[in-house]
Amino acid sequence: MAPKSVSEVVAVLSEQGDRAKLLAGGTDIIVQLREGLREADVVVDIKKIEEVTSFNYCPENGLSLGSAVACYNLYEHPELSKLYGALADSTHIIGGWQIQSRASVGGNLCNASPAADSIPSLIALNAIAVIAGPKGERTVAAEDFCTGPGRNVLENGELLVSIQIPAQCSNSGSAYERFIPRNEMDIAVVGVGSWVKLAADGTIADARISLGAVAATPLFAEQASAILIGKEPNEEVFSAAGELARQIATPISDMRGTDEYRSHLVSVLVKRTLITAVERAQN
Amino acid sequence: MTTTQYRVIGSRPVRHDGADKVTGKAIYTADTKLPGMLVGFVLRSPHAHARIISIDISEAEATPGVHAVLTAADYPNVENKMADLGEGSINLSYLSSNCMAQQKVLYRGHAGAAVAATDVHIAEEAVKKIKVEYEVLDSVTWVLDAMKEDAPLLHDDMVTDSMGEKASKPSNVPAHLHFEKGDAAAAFAEADVIVEREFKTATVHQGYIEPHAVVADYNEDGRLRIWTATQGSFTCRQQTAEILQIPLGNVLVTPCEIGGGFGGKITVYLEPTAALLSKKSGRPVRISMTRSDVFEASGPTPGSFMRVKIGAKNDGTIIAGEAWLAYDAGAYPGGVIGPGCMCVFSCYDIEHAVVDGYDVCLNKPKTSAYRAPGATQVAFATEQLVDELAQKLGMCELEIRQKNAVKEGSRRVDGPVYPPIGLVECLDALKQSDHWNTPLQGPNRGRGIAAGFWFGCGLKSSAACTVNSDGTINLLEGSTDIGGSRTSIAMQLAEVLGLEADDINPQVGDTDTAGYTDVTGGSRVTFATGMAAYEAGRDLQQQMKTLAADLWDCPADEITVDDDGSFSGNNRTLGFKELAVELFAAGEHLVGRATVSPECPTNGFGAQIADVEVDPDTGKVTVLRYTTIQDAGKAIHPSYVEGQLQGGTVQGIGWALNEEYFYKDDNSMANASFLDYRMPTMLDVPMIDTIIVETGNPEHPYGVRGVGETPIVPPPAALANAIYNATDTRMTELPMSPPKLWKAMQKHQAS
């Protein structure tokens, strides 16, 4: 079914509970249903709903991104791709371009993969998830949205309506980088998102670093972010942040890499994304 | 070097099947639809090793839409008889139980039962209703573990055959091979420098884009018709007939267009099952594998453990070699250890050498051929040691190879003496190449080279050519066309007859229409089936000479055929087409035919150059530049030769850098999808430059050597040598994936 309003979706979800699954781009849910990883009696297409398929930016409130907006809208947008560099980086590498023309950032967040490419960027950019449900609307910070691999905070009857990302100023910059063994069509062995805001004197006024694929959920690296504040942006400082970030990583060993390797990659990627984020902020 | 000028050979006409392939009109097995056709689905073992206690199919059988349910009980008992598959032989009882497990499942994915239903969803649901009681057994997936005394035994009745001598108690090692020439021990004692290392390689898959698929229609009269993706319709017919214990002549195999094989589509997997489901249901049945089925239950190529040692004199002459090789055969005996043993020192003229090889059964799918089966592993070992030797002797890595390269008269460790071959010429071409002469600059970068060899075989081929009334030709042959062979075969016929490539309409026949032809494998088709087409052309010319003599009223031995295919006699000259038209008008219609079975290998040698850059922080390797050099004997269609060189090289790069079967603790495969089984994408390889060397094979009318397999042999070694030169770290384990290379670099820096 394809309801025309959020309230209709809430009604269906409330009634069907776990037997209803939402369809935005469908790049995860269709595969999961096909492979028997999830089951559903009803698949609810939310792409007929204006609120979840539109996005807009204003310098006061920032970006309001409907949960079903496909990835390409972000990296192809001349201003948004500059303002939200990390998110442009992420959306540009989720699958190939066929996937990017369907897959949504909201879906990527709800799918709650520990290795999701857009979630570290959302966390670094301080994004807020706007959720509608039977009891009305509520908001949850991006770093609190995922609760485990494939699990999120959404309760019975709830759906993600949009993602709100704060406005950016000319002296802020962000970047996302993941490590994959190949050069495309792959899943992050480790992904890192970094955001910085520079003060007038060139020092770091504020920073947020987040990590993907090194724990059950994407992580906000609070201490690693905090030590950057007030410092000159240089490799030594970035390495220190990388070291702190590495300490909160609790990766597993699997076919994509060992825990030791993943931890090491955290420090490498924190450094690399900070370099890019600062460069973007300076330009 | 061949100097003969040809009209058609060496040109690059558009392939005959090109339009069908690019417009999507080519018919593949999964496109085949017959009236009333059912869809089959196979129940596969969730365990790596288990005894089947019982199978209850009652609920599955009762499912609406289900027409037949099959277990091993429906399979006939077959004896322990060896069947020759052309490029190797196989024990039929093993082949049969690989298609459908009897008593035990030996690997995760092993077929245990099958269902035919009106659609795939019903079939899949019904398979879930089959209740199998398993007694789970200990399993083993690494060769050295499987060789241990206390390893879980896969086959209770299997004993080691050591060069004809049978061991007394069962083991997982069905065969021990031993080759030697000269006195290796004495030669090592005389060597000034010795290098020795142990190497490991992971199980890898051919990764063909088309999953295995089959349609079978078992008729009431006992005739069985099969449409399938196979590299050899005749071997498919034989295997299916033998497994089902039905007369060979009752089986018709139609080879559909094939989406790659690389050695993995010679053994049957689905054909007997589809046939029996069809027999039981009375309707045609189609079965297709999923991609995970392909990974878990077709025939990947072995992982290996190798210990190799070579010794040289101070002047760089390699005088001694020793190799101890263990290759995994998968669940049933008969892996590719044989060619591994024969190839380990195949590129170098080593006077004293000894090789021991072990075929090892373990709980993985039965391994199959994969492009030069068994050669890539040993090249990874030997070609690194040759580099190391050069380094210790202060020699250039190219110079040591040139000094020791095999040439005509060199004897391989397993016995054969080489006829004229082209390794020296390939190394010369490497030395003169733009790549070799362009210095590689920049940090973390390195260049590596390696040589490679594959036998290339002859085997049996047939061809028949029917002359049309306009002088064009319908060519019927039996080689499944995987790499453009229709065209490379037709070009040889066109050359001999003085026609153009598009005057020939080549068709791949089924087993009822084409003459017997062995598999498309062993780099043999352009060589052997091409030779059959050439001989069929000669047969036509012979017939036409006799008929022209009647027409022109002169003795047949006065009729001559020129290089351009024209016939002359009694002051008259006519081209092939003109004469054919005239003969047809005179009431003569013509069919030329030939069968050939050349026994000699075609001996394909090659050499490659790789430039890499290694990210010191992550261990990720970027291939910057790559050149593949190979002796094609004579390139019939240079574009297809280049395509073979590039394709083989890219597969070798994948094998080197990321591809591997990754096993979980329960010995099930963790990465049975193209997401986590990482073959290279377009963005992972540079343009592969090619240099075709043509030394001419005296055993073929145009000098053809097989080219399809050799290019996969050098890449892991060439890349390992390049990585060493970039990082000072010697990689002895495949794949050289980022986590492994990073770890090795860490260890190296620490020491």
Side-chain angles (χ1 to χ4, degrees):
Chain A
M1 59 172 66
K4 299 247 168 29
S5 72
V6 168
S7 56
E8 281 175 74
V9 178
V10 169
V12 173
L13 292 177
S14 303
E15 189 190 310
Q16 297 281 337
D18 208 24
R19 302 305 300 172
K21 294 284 180 288
L22 296 186
L23 174 79
T27 56
D28 283 315
I29 192 68
I30 291 172
V31 176
Q32 289 163 359
L33 291 173
R34 202 182 150 75
E35 292 183 351
L37 300 172
R38 292 183 198 262
E39 288 183 8
D41 295 332
V42 185
V43 175
V44 186
D45 182 359
I46 57 170
K47 291 192 296 297
K48 297 275 187 288
I49 305 167
E50 170 77 23
E51 277 174 270
V52 301
T53 54
S54 59
F55 62 100
N56 63 74
Y57 178 80
C58 66
E60 295 77 43
N61 302 324
L63 174 65
S64 172
L65 181 66
S67 59
V69 174
C71 285
Y72 77 93
N73 290 293
L74 290 155
Y75 68 75
E76 279 194 352
H77 197 286
E79 286 110 54
L80 292 181
S81 61
K82 288 209 179 66
L83 287 170
Y84 300 100
L87 204 51
D89 293 342
S90 295
T91 49
H92 203 65
I93 55 177
I94 293 175
W97 63 264
Q98 293 96 332
I99 297 290
Q100 290 153 15
S101 68
R102 301 290 298 174
S104 63
V105 173
N108 197 230
L109 179 59
C110 291
N111 189 52
S113 162
D117 284 314
S118 75
I119 305 178
S121 295
L122 293 176
I123 295 172
L125 290 164
N126 212 1
I128 303 287
V130 179
I131 298 166
K135 291 179 220 153
E137 217 170 71
R138 65 178 177 125
T139 58
V140 172
E143 59 262 42
D144 299 326
F145 190 85
C146 301
T147 54
R151 295 200 307 275
N152 58 41
V153 294
L154 293 177
E155 284 170 13
N156 194 28
E158 288 189 326
L159 80 151
L160 176 70
V161 177
S162 69
I163 298 165
Q164 306 292 330
I165 312 178
Q168 300 293 307
C169 52
S170 62
N171 51 356
S172 65
S174 64
Y176 173 78
E177 201 175 315
R178 67 177 177 190
F179 179 80
I180 53 173
R182 290 189 295 206
N183 291 318
E184 62 169 337
M185 307 294 281
D186 222 328
I187 292 196
V189 177
V190 172
V192 173
S194 289
W195 171 87
V196 294
K197 191 167 132 188
L198 301 179
D201 63 358
T203 59
I204 299 170
D206 201 356
R208 289 177 65 89
I209 298 168
S210 71
L211 319 177
V214 291
T217 63
L219 301 176
F220 171 45
E222 203 171 349
Q223 283 183 303
S225 308
I227 65 140
L228 292 167
I229 296 168
K231 304 267 172 53
E232 289 282 335
N234 59 43
E235 286 221 12
E236 195 186 331
V237 174
F238 299 159
S239 296
E243 196 45 47
L244 279 175
R246 173 200 185 110
Q247 286 171 20
I248 63 161
T250 54
I252 54 166
S253 289
D254 66 6
M255 66 252 182
R256 293 172 193 147
T258 58
D259 54 352
E260 181 193 16
Y261 182 62
R262 283 190 154 115
S263 292
H264 164 73
L265 287 178
V266 167
S267 49
V268 173
L269 294 182
V270 164
K271 203 161 120 184
R272 288 182 181 180
T273 50
L274 282 171
I275 290 170
T276 310
V278 166
E279 268 173 22
R280 286 175 178 171
Q282 287 165 342
N283 296 328
Chain B
M1 291 278 181
T2 46
T3 51
T4 318
Q5 289 299 307
Y6 296 112
R7 291 175 316 101
V8 178
I9 287 172
S11 68
R12 300 169 187 248
V14 169
R15 60 194 284 169
H16 296 81
D17 54 328
D20 275 0
K21 295 273 168 72
V22 300
T23 56
K25 286 180 183 165
I27 305 291
Y28 293 84
T29 307
D31 298 324
T32 309
K33 286 186 182 68
L34 299 180
M37 188 174 77
L38 303 174
V39 179
F41 203 88
V42 177
L43 171 74
R44 298 187 177 279
S45 168
H47 306 296
H49 194 191
R51 198 176 306 283
I52 300 171
I53 308 293
S54 65
I55 303 182
D56 178 358
I57 59 171
S58 53
E59 206 183 315
E61 274 183 319
T63 306
V66 169
H67 287 251
V69 182
L70 188 79
T71 68
D74 297 289
Y75 264 67
N77 278 323
V78 292
E79 354 159 17
N80 277 321
K81 177 182 155 192
M82 298 305 287
D84 189 358
L85 305 190
E87 215 198 359
S89 54
I90 190 163
N91 178 308
L92 282 170
S93 98
Y94 290 143
L95 184 63
S96 175
S97 37
N98 192 38
C99 290
M100 193 59 74
Q102 287 145 358
Q103 291 141 17
K104 286 215 296 186
V105 286
L106 297 175
Y107 53 93
R108 152 109 178 191
H110 199 162
V115 169
T118 44
D119 71 45
V120 69
H121 304 293
I122 295 172
E124 190 175 352
E125 284 305 310
V127 157
K128 287 182 191 160
K129 293 177 183 167
I130 298 174
K131 295 186 190 74
V132 186
E133 194 187 337
Y134 293 105
E135 177 198 346
V136 178
L137 304 170
D138 287 341
S139 58
V140 59
T141 54
W142 169 236
V143 272
L144 293 186
D145 293 339
M147 292 176 84
K148 287 179 184 159
E149 283 266 317
D150 58 349
L153 276 183
L154 273 77
H155 305 278
D156 297 334
D157 56 350
M158 197 168 74
V159 296
T160 306
D161 182 323
S162 191
M163 304 305 280
E165 237 171 82
K166 301 257 186 200
S168 55
K169 54 178 198 180
S171 84
N172 288 326
V173 184
H176 165 215
L177 306 177
H178 179 81
F179 299 101
E180 61 178 279
K181 68 182 268 206
D183 183 345
F188 275 113
E190 303 229 325
D192 296 318
V193 189
I194 294 173
V195 287
E196 179 177 15
R197 278 185 189 273
E198 291 179 348
F199 300 86
K200 293 176 187 175
T201 72
T203 298
V204 295
H205 198 274
Q206 300 85 349
Y208 30 78
I209 195 72
E210 181 204 20
H212 296 258
V214 63
V215 175
D217 189 10
Y218 208 121
N219 216 1
E220 303 296 333
D221 61 2
R223 282 279 288 173
L224 170 61
R225 293 185 295 166
I226 288 174
W227 291 259
T228 187
T230 180
Q231 288 178 240
S233 49
F234 289 89
T235 179
C236 176
R237 178 180 70 169
Q238 185 195 354
Q239 292 175 68
T240 307
E242 302 247 31
I243 288 173
L244 299 180
Q245 301 280 293
I246 57 176
L248 191 79
N250 279 11
V251 184
L252 163 61
V253 174
T254 302
C256 298
E257 292 296 344
I258 182 169
F262 311 108
K265 288 181 182 166
I266 299 172
T267 308
V268 296
Y269 298 100
L270 301 172
E271 285 81 355
T273 297
L276 290 174
L277 284 171
S278 174
K279 188 180 182 184
K280 248 187 151 168
S281 64
R283 294 168 69 165
V285 174
R286 182 174 74 208
I287 312 180
S288 304
M289 284 195 188
T290 62
R291 181 58 61 184
S292 58
D293 292 346
V294 173
F295 277 115
E296 293 187 325
S298 66
T301 220
S304 66
F305 173 85
M306 303 173 282
R307 191 169 55 242
V308 181
K309 178 162 98 167
I310 51 177
K313 301 297 281 181
N314 278 328
D315 71 350
T317 309
I318 302 174
I319 56 167
E322 184 184 298
W324 190 97
L325 314 171
Y327 279 21
D328 78 47
Y332 296 97
V336 296
I337 185 65
C341 292
M342 297 175 203
C343 288
V344 61
F345 299 129
S346 57
C347 290
Y348 301 103
D349 197 349
I350 306 176
E351 208 176 330
H352 306 278
V354 55
V355 179
D356 284 283
Y358 297 85
D359 193 36
V360 184
C361 287
L362 35 62
N363 298 107
K364 293 184 187 177
K366 166 79 175 77
T367 57
S368 274
Y370 177 19
R371 233 174 172 151
T376 302
Q377 291 93 329
V378 285
F380 177 63
T382 305
E383 291 295 314
Q384 288 203 72
L385 292 178
V386 169
D387 256 39
E388 222 174 334
L389 207 54
Q391 197 194 5
K392 288 200 167 173
L393 291 165
M395 282 177 86
C396 159
E397 68 263 50
L398 175 56
E399 193 189 339
I400 195 169
R401 286 178 170 84
Q402 288 180 304
K403 189 176 177 66
N404 292 284
V406 285
K407 41 189 149 334
E408 183 176 3
S410 304
R411 189 165 86 79
R412 218 168 50 219
V413 66
D414 53 309
V417 175
Y418 287 119
I421 52 173
L423 178 57
V424 169
E425 287 80 355
C426 286
L427 294 171
D428 287 347
L430 188 154
K431 189 173 183 177
Q432 284 154 23
S433 67
D434 177 66
H435 189 167
W436 183 251
N437 290 294
T438 307
L440 175 65
Q441 284 158 344
N444 307 308
R445 292 180 168 189
R447 171 171 295 168
I449 63 169
F453 162 77
W454 184 251
F455 312 87
C457 61
L459 303 179
K460 297 181 176 65
S461 282
S462 310
C465 39
T466 303
V467 182
N468 296 316
S469 58
D470 60 355
T472 60
I473 288 189
N474 292 339
L475 167 63
L476 180 68
E477 40 103 356
S479 289
T480 314
D481 183 355
I482 302 186
S485 60
R486 281 183 184 87
T487 302
S488 68
I489 294 162
M491 287 171 74
Q492 296 179 58
L493 181 61
E495 184 71 45
V496 66
L497 295 179
L499 296 173
E500 299 302 324
D502 58 9
D503 288 326
I504 316 281
N505 171 29
Q507 296 194 45
V508 180
D510 59 42
T511 54
D512 278 5
T513 53
Y516 182 87
T517 299
D518 276 316
V519 292
T520 297
S523 302
R524 61 174 289 277
V525 170
T526 298
F527 168 71
T529 309
M531 190 190 283
Y534 170 90
E535 294 294 346
R538 285 287 185 223
D539 181 43
L540 262 186
Q541 286 174 330
Q542 210 52 45
Q543 296 177 42
M544 288 167 79
K545 275 161 88 171
T546 309
L547 295 168
D550 287 349
L551 203 65
W552 294 341
D553 198 21
C554 67
D557 57 12
E558 274 181 25
I559 308 277
T560 57
V561 183
D562 289 345
D563 280 349
D564 67 357
S566 60
F567 292 79
S568 302
N570 206 6
N571 298 318
R572 296 196 53 179
T573 295
L574 279 182
F576 174 87
K577 267 192 185 176
E578 289 76 20
L579 180 58
V581 169
E582 214 163 283
L583 287 173
F584 197 89
E588 301 290 351
H589 57 289
L590 295 159
V591 178
R593 51 162 291 278
T595 61
V596 300
S597 50
E599 283 174 5
C600 48
T602 64
N603 297 312
F605 285 89
Q608 302 181 358
I609 318 171
D611 289 354
V612 303
E613 181 172 322
V614 179
D615 182 335
D617 292 334
T618 66
K620 183 168 170 172
V621 174
T622 301
V623 184
L624 302 169
R625 185 176 181 183
Y626 208 104
T627 302
T628 296
I629 300 148
Q630 198 170 316
D631 175 19
K634 177 67 197 171
I636 300 294
H637 192 306
S639 298
Y640 301 167
V641 173
E642 287 157 8
Q644 290 288 340
L645 305 197
Q646 291 166 331
T649 301
V650 169
Q651 286 188 310
I653 291 172
W655 192 338
L657 296 182
N658 278 306
E659 292 180 38
E660 70 178 305
Y661 272 47
F662 195 95
Y663 281 92
K664 292 192 247 186
D665 290 342
D666 65 356
N667 283 335
S668 63
M669 188 181 176
N671 58 334
S673 82
F674 278 143
L675 181 59
D676 279 309
Y677 181 87
R678 293 185 171 77
M679 298 182 74
T681 71
M682 287 292 286
L683 297 185
D684 298 311
V685 286
M687 181 66 191
I688 309 295
D689 295 321
T690 57
I691 299 173
I692 300 173
V693 172
E694 297 182 319
T695 65
N697 175 10
E699 303 293 334
H700 184 277
Y702 298 122
V704 169
R705 295 184 195 276
V707 294
E709 293 168 281
T710 307
I712 202 176
V713 179
L719 289 166
N721 286 334
I723 288 168
Y724 174 80
N725 290 327
T727 65
D728 204 32
T729 304
R730 187 54 75 192
M731 290 301 286
T732 56
E733 199 176 325
L734 291 180
M736 300 178 284
S737 57
K740 286 184 186 152
L741 179 52
W742 174 76
K743 185 78 186 167
M745 291 192 299
Q746 294 286 107
K747 268 192 189 159
H748 179 72
Q749 279 157 17
S751 64

